[in-house]
Amino acid sequence: GAMLEGPVKLVLNITFPDKRRRDVHNYVDVIADVLQDIAYADDTQIHKLEMTKRFGKDWELEIICEAYQEPI
């Protein structure tokens, strides 16, 4: 699909295979940078960010990137 223009909402659901300490903001930074020029032109378009850290059997990553409507 086409890249999003304007404000963006980025939702990241990350499942880790173990409970080792991890600095989740590093994952958010890398994913936001990777999505540049794919989902949006620049990560400064991210106006809302939701991140969920979970633990499971395997690594999993769910990414939802959509246009964000600023509340009035």
Side-chain angles (χ1 to χ4, degrees):
M3 283 197 304
L4 294 168
E5 295 180 16
V8 170
K9 175 182 174 184
L10 181 60
V11 180
L12 302 175
N13 297 312
I14 306 173
T15 302
F16 296 98
D18 55 51
K19 294 191 177 187
R20 282 187 289 166
R21 274 184 73 172
R22 291 183 171 87
D23 198 348
V24 294
H25 83 82
N26 291 333
Y27 291 87
V28 172
D29 288 345
V30 168
I31 294 165
D33 286 346
V34 167
L35 290 173
Q36 262 185 196
D37 297 321
I38 297 170
Y40 42 76
D42 192 274
D43 62 7
T44 61
Q45 289 174 250
I46 300 170
H47 284 229
K48 182 166 182 146
L49 173 65
E50 296 177 13
M51 202 287 295
T52 303
K53 175 181 175 179
R54 299 183 253 208
F55 300 101
K57 196 171 83 169
D58 298 308
W59 285 95
E60 290 181 30
L61 174 61
E62 178 185 25
I63 300 172
I64 301 167
C65 190
E66 59 193 13
Y68 178 64
Q69 184 77 26
E70 296 281 351
I72 297 175

